Amino acid sequence: MKGPWGLSRAWFLGNLLLILYLCGVARASNDGNWTVKHEAGRCALKGQCGKKSFFGGQLPCPDNSVAQKPDDDTREQLVAICGDKWTDEAICCDSDQIDALSTNLKRAESIISSCPACKENFFNLFCTFTCSPDQSLFVNVTETEKANTGKLIVTELDNLWSDNYGKGFYNSCKDVKFGATGGKAMDFIGGGAKDYTAFLKFLGDTKPFGSPFQINFPRPSSGDFTNMITADPEAKACNSTDEAYRCACVDCPGSCPELPKVTEQEYCYVGALPCLSFAVIIVYCVFLLLLVTAVSGHVWYQKHSQRKSERLQLLHDTALSDDEDEGEDVRHAGLLEKPQRQYWINSGCDAAFSKLGSVCASFPLITISVSILIVALLSIGWVNFAVETDPVRLWVSPSSAAATEKEFFDTNFGPFYRAEQAFLVNDTHPSGPGPVLSYDMLAWWFDLENRVQRFRSMKEGASLEQVCFNPTGEACVVQSITGYFGGSFANVNPNTWQKVLRHCTEQPGSQECLPAFQQPLQKDIILGGWDKTDDVLDAEALITTWVVNNHAQGSKKEAIAMDWEEMLKNLLQDAQREAAQRGLRLSFSTEMSLEQELNKSSNTDAKIVVVSYIIMFLYASLALGSTTLTVKSILHNPANAMIQSKFTLGVIGIVIVLMSVSASVGLFSACGIKVTLIIAEVIPFLVLAVGVDNIFLIVHEFERVNLSHPDESVEARISKALGRMGPSILLSASTETVAFALGAAVGMPAVKNFAAYAAGAVLINALLQVTMFVSVLTLNQKRVESNRADCFPFIKIKRVDSKRQSAGQFGYEEEGGLQKFIRKVYAPTILNRQVKVAIIVFFLGIFTAGLALLPTIALGLDQRIAFPRGSYLIPFFNDLDEYFNTGPPVYFVIRDLDVSARQHQQELCARYSTCHSYSLTNVLEQESKRPEISYITGSTASWIDDYFTWLNPTNAACCVEDNGKTCFADRDPPWNITLYGMPEDGEFIHYLTKWLAAPTNEDCPFGGAAPYSNALVVHPDHTDNPIPASHFRTSHTPLKSQSNFIQAYASARRIAETVSASQGVDVFPYSKFYIFFDQYSTIVSLAGTLLGSAVLAVFFLTSLLLGSLATGAVVTVTVIGIVVSILGTMALANVSLNAISLVNLVICVGIAVEFCAHIARAFQFPSSTILAKAPTHITGGGRMSRGRDARAWASLVNVGGSVFSGITVTKFLGVVVLAFSRSKVFEVYYFRVWLALVVWAAMWALVWLPVGLSVAGGEGYLASENEDGVEEDLNRRRRGYGRLLPEEEDEDVDSDDY
């Protein structure tokens, strides 16, 4: 809030000018020429001759006599008030006039004393006008009338002063600040004048409570002033080099040191494009140019070679062509290029997982029981389960500067106030917004506020008076238009209320406009939309703010305040309906509204999340059965469906996912790590997505083993299947776990807790899948082979195909359409040489676009996004942005500084001549002059400056000793502007304690009780540091966007660090919103560190487990491409970077590995049975190229279908449901990001990765299953895999025409 305390501009002028211009009148001559002679040494008016009315003030008489020497007492009196230059001169005033002049100039001094130049010019003008011996040279009495005493009195005159003095006078006073709220003195002594002519006119105009007669200040060039000479003394400049007149920086911009230029974060642009975007586009274009050049050269070279070959063939036309010689050799190129050596880590993993599979399959019930027991033991930790909903504890590390500073502020000054705010807006008419103010509307609004004051809460019976912020102890702080009318509608006159409103918005510090809590109400905080016409009567919104005391979280007092807020919420919801009946709209928010609506959003989204999980569960359960259950087999014998169905297997797979989540939650809850809403909403989805993938891979591999080894026991087949897929699960699970676990190293609790829970859940899920799920799969296979029905194993089916005893027959008699498409069409197509070039160009273009869009990703999280659709807070925040043009307060807090010492006083103050040039208050004043950089506006409430001003003995009514004597009246050294007359040490604390208890009122506007009672922590008994903490308050500019809030926080940090460094004091900034925006000071670097570490972990683990740096690099590049593509999509989809999106990006790295790991491993360890069928036309080129192409084809045929159906489709179905969430935060930060993840990860993994592996993949290894040699592999292929294809296609598949 701004504006002085308890002093009326009109009141001040009434008292000042009433007596200030009391001049004597000699007996007027009978001819009525009041100022006949204009010459040096002669007066124009003098003495006191009566009043115009009973209530009027004494007015001077016209007197054109010669100036007289005063007696010694009068001379001493005049010199005391007007200075030594009046020591020897004759004067045109008497003792009574000087008494009145002294009294009223001292009142003016209380407003302008902080600026010696302004004070000197003000005193000089009125001392000269009242007492100058040459008064008649610049004063001409133009009108008189008879007073109630029968004497003539002056009613109008001309007072001629030079333009130079007028300008200098105005310039010296125009920036002088007054009072704790930083209002301008010019608003009081000059009516807010914008130039010197308006300033002088305001001083001279007749007003009921101002000048008792008209004093005109004509410009010398505006008329003929015969024989008159303008008064033209030298006006003292506020930045004078004379220390006696030089004003402080806070009151005079010319006295301020120049702050160093702020080195803003420069963003490099080339035209409209960021430099990064421009650079990557240029690099991509150069790449395309080089590619076109290389392809053109290659085509030319091939044509040249072909012509040369044709000429040679003419010479050797009887020779056998090279192609004919090689045709048979490359017919089974896949087998010829089959890897010939094993990788020891893979072999060890294969053996370990085979052994694990054998044990679990041999003892399924024991394995299942032990798994359930371990999960149950871990789940005991649920007794410590707690959900963290406090945003402060979610987004800010407890050890961060913002958290420790908030704790310090709350401990020393109390928690920041609870704000309850309402907007009444007139925007319901089809023609658009209109004025909201009317007499009838005011009547209703007064009644509404009275109801708020009267009503009591339901549970605690609390009233507003019990919970409100009441700094003066006399009235609650309610910032409302009702304050202009004393809070009572009886004071609203239907004929004059508009005039009163205009007056109070222009002069909020006027005594008649002050509310009961005695703080001026600036129009920006109670009216909105008036700036469109610059007329407050056209305001489109009325704003009311109830300020309520805050208390420690969980305390009884906080519960009482929240109970009262619940009552206010219900009352305002009823008022919304009343407003609608009047054609108006009411929006509001209470302190507890934000958390309530966020929780409501989460509860609503829970249903959507559950539906998403159910869809993934149903799909997984049904899709698992399709591995062995086809349409052909069902049509052939419907009874097959009851046996081959894997619905129960899918259900148990989902149960295992839930068990892993339960175990992870129990484990970390026992460790005291709280669950967050992000964890509750994301972890089940994440683990389900990962878990279903592994289930698909295990089941599909088991069916292949059923096909290739139908005569072996179930336990042996399970062992082989897990031996083959276990290392692949290990690769994906380990990389995902490490990628998530890296997030636990950051300080932000929301990310840290998520990382711990996610890593634990993924790891536990993987362990349960290779143990418990394998045991369940064993039991399921035994059920199948014993002809028992799925879901009802106690029912044995008799009518089944006899051929079914060949375990895998049903699934592979008729190859699935997706598998056939991948084998015959998709894989050969993308591995075609020309297609590979196009794919590389396309994905590099996608990567380039993603990089180019990175600089456009915004930071922040708009609160409106977090609310459910239809929330009553959404229109409130819209109105807040549209109509509330006041920025949030910001406090610069001083810690552990002994302010009772003179040196430290100088490091903080601003209004005194010895204050340091770069003191805290001086720096804040200078920063407020460049708000576009600092985001600071308005004056600083400097308690130390106002405290010393309160001690000024000229403010006789302020500091009064117990004996009734004015403090510092006879002190030696006296109070002075150099600070050396100010108290120190114990005396400083003594008077400080009195000041903090002093009221702010009409007689003394500098009392500290109201504005500063909560600004200092004073311990008089502590001799080492009696003032351990204090703060200096100013305001931010109106902040309308997330970017504004982030930059305002960064600017405040910069300012505090600058002052700390230059003055050697411990200072930090605090505002209520800082705690929520602290994350953005490091979130970009944090995101880079987290994602970079995760990518390095992916590279290390994939290279280690796959045995190839080259393949590890290709997988890592693929993961990077997926993440960059998602970041580019975030920029296009308006998804900003914050803690939620950062968690999702970490998820993206883990899921991206899931998409890539199985294909990469199938490439490094290809199945010989599949590799043998590689089409010959993709094996052209060099020896290494032929091997990579064949292995890339084999990897797609082997696991491509599982990646698509088990990973891509599952996640896609789960994600699509999130689009129907009522919460914008789910739609924006989950649906958009996860949909981008599924789409981009599928494209990069299924299109780019096989091509990348075929171009730059590492050397492959022999899979452990092939240890028995090529011959046995060929036999097994003829016996088993040969059934994969119809016989008529078996020969054709190897032909060059494939």
Side-chain angles (χ1 to χ4, degrees), residues 511-570:
Q511 187 66 32
E512 64 273 14
C513 297
L514 289 176
F517 60 92
Q518 293 297 298
Q519 296 184 28
L521 292 169
Q522 301 295 329
K523 57 187 175 183
D524 282 336
I525 64 174
I526 61 173
L527 295 171
W530 58 267
D531 51 336
K532 296 178 181 179
T533 61
D534 205 28
D535 186 351
V536 293
L537 297 180
D538 292 333
E540 298 172 0
L542 184 150
I543 310 166
T544 295
T545 305
W546 294 270
V547 183
V548 174
N549 278 320
N550 207 351
H551 305 279
Q553 191 172 25
S555 65
K556 176 65 175 179
K557 290 184 177 180
E558 184 197 43
I560 293 174
M562 294 175 68
D563 184 42
W564 182 85
E565 286 175 347
E566 188 66 30
M567 180 280 297
L568 178 65
K569 172 186 171 183
N570 296 333

Side-chain angles (χ1 to χ4, degrees), residues 27 142 225 305 406 674 730 771 805 822 882 1015 1197 1285:
R27 293 290 180 235
T142 57
F225 302 98
S305 299
K406 181 183 185 300
K674 288 187 176 182
L730 173 65
T771 54
Q805 298 302 326
I822 292 175
E882 178 69 20
V1197 172
L1285 303 173

Side-chain angles (χ1 to χ4, degrees), residues 1053-1108:
R1053 281 281 177 205
R1054 172 188 59 78
I1055 294 170
E1057 291 168 0
T1058 299
V1059 173
S1060 296
S1062 65
Q1063 300 300 305
V1065 298
D1066 184 5
V1067 56
F1068 68 85
Y1070 176 79
S1071 190
K1072 189 175 182 180
F1073 71 88
Y1074 285 177
I1075 196 74
F1076 304 109
F1077 288 86
D1078 179 70
Q1079 58 177 294
Y1080 300 110
S1081 59
T1082 58
I1083 197 166
V1084 173
S1085 59
L1086 176 61
T1089 302
L1090 274 180
L1091 297 179
S1093 300
V1095 166
L1096 288 176
V1098 168
F1099 174 71
F1100 173 77
L1101 290 173
T1102 52
S1103 299
L1104 177 66
L1105 295 178
L1106 296 179
S1108 170

Side-chain angles (χ1 to χ4, degrees), residues 413-710:
F413 308 112
F416 199 82
Y417 313 117
R418 305 176 72 90
E420 335 293 341
Q421 195 168 54
F423 288 82
L424 184 66
V425 184
N426 181 15
D427 64 354
T428 60
H429 197 273
S431 61
V436 71
L437 298 174
S438 69
Y439 182 79
D440 291 336
M441 185 284 299
L442 287 176
W444 174 69
W445 193 255
F446 270 84
D447 176 68
L448 176 62
E449 289 194 10
N450 286 334
R451 279 183 274 164
V452 172
Q453 292 178 353
R454 294 194 311 268
F455 278 27
R456 291 181 175 271
S457 62
M458 295 295 293
K459 295 180 181 178
E460 304 291 342
S463 65
L464 174 62
E465 185 178 354
Q466 293 175 266
V467 300
C468 72
F469 174 55
N470 188 346
T472 62
E474 298 178 359
C476 294
V477 174
V478 179
Q479 299 169 340
S480 170
I481 192 174
T482 60
Y484 287 156
F485 301 93
S488 173
F489 188 67
N491 299 326
V492 182
N493 188 306
N495 299 318
T496 62
W497 70 269
Q498 295 171 317
K499 182 178 180 181
V500 172
L501 179 61
R502 280 201 174 102
H503 165 67
C504 289
T505 53
E506 292 172 1
Q507 303 175 28
S510 298
Q511 187 66 32
E512 64 273 14
C513 297
L514 289 176
F517 60 92
Q518 293 297 298
Q519 296 184 28
L521 292 169
Q522 301 295 329
K523 57 187 175 183
D524 282 336
I525 64 174
I526 61 173
L527 295 171
W530 58 267
D531 51 336
K532 296 178 181 179
T533 61
D534 205 28
D535 186 351
V536 293
L537 297 180
D538 292 333
E540 298 172 0
L542 184 150
I543 310 166
T544 295
T545 305
W546 294 270
V547 183
V548 174
N549 278 320
N550 207 351
H551 305 279
Q553 191 172 25
S555 65
K556 176 65 175 179
K557 290 184 177 180
E558 184 197 43
I560 293 174
M562 294 175 68
D563 184 42
W564 182 85
E565 286 175 347
E566 188 66 30
M567 180 280 297
L568 178 65
K569 172 186 171 183
N570 296 333
L571 178 62
L572 292 179
Q573 285 177 334
D574 292 336
Q576 285 181 323
R577 292 185 283 272
E578 297 175 20
Q581 293 172 359
R582 289 169 169 78
L584 304 173
R585 179 177 57 79
L586 176 66
S587 66
F588 71 93
S589 172
T590 66
E591 187 72 19
M592 61 189 292
S593 294
L594 182 62
E595 186 171 339
Q596 284 182 335
E597 289 299 288
L598 289 177
N599 290 338
K600 182 188 298 183
S601 174
S602 299
N603 294 335
T604 302
D605 293 330
K607 301 175 183 177
I608 298 296
V609 172
V610 170
V611 171
S612 173
Y613 296 162
I614 290 175
I615 289 178
M616 287 192 291
F617 152 69
L618 291 175
Y619 170 77
S621 299
L622 295 174
L624 284 175
S626 68
T627 58
T628 53
L629 191 63
T630 64
V631 175
K632 183 176 180 180
S633 66
I634 294 175
L635 294 177
H636 178 73
N637 186 354
N640 294 333
M642 299 184 67
I643 296 176
Q644 295 298 334
S645 168
K646 292 184 175 60
F647 188 83
T648 302
L649 190 64
V651 170
I652 295 177
I654 303 303
V655 170
I656 288 176
V657 169
L658 299 179
M659 289 173 61
S660 65
V661 173
S662 175
S664 180
V665 171
L667 174 63
F668 291 107
S669 293
C671 296
I673 300 177
K674 288 187 176 182
V675 174
T676 67
L677 293 177
I678 292 180
I679 292 173
E681 294 162 347
V682 174
I683 296 294
F685 179 90
L686 172 66
V687 180
L688 186 62
V690 174
V692 169
D693 303 343
N694 292 335
I695 289 172
F696 268 88
L697 291 168
I698 293 174
V699 171
H700 287 179
E701 186 61 32
F702 179 64
E703 295 302 338
R704 290 193 183 98
V705 175
N706 283 340
L707 171 68
S708 59
H709 300 78

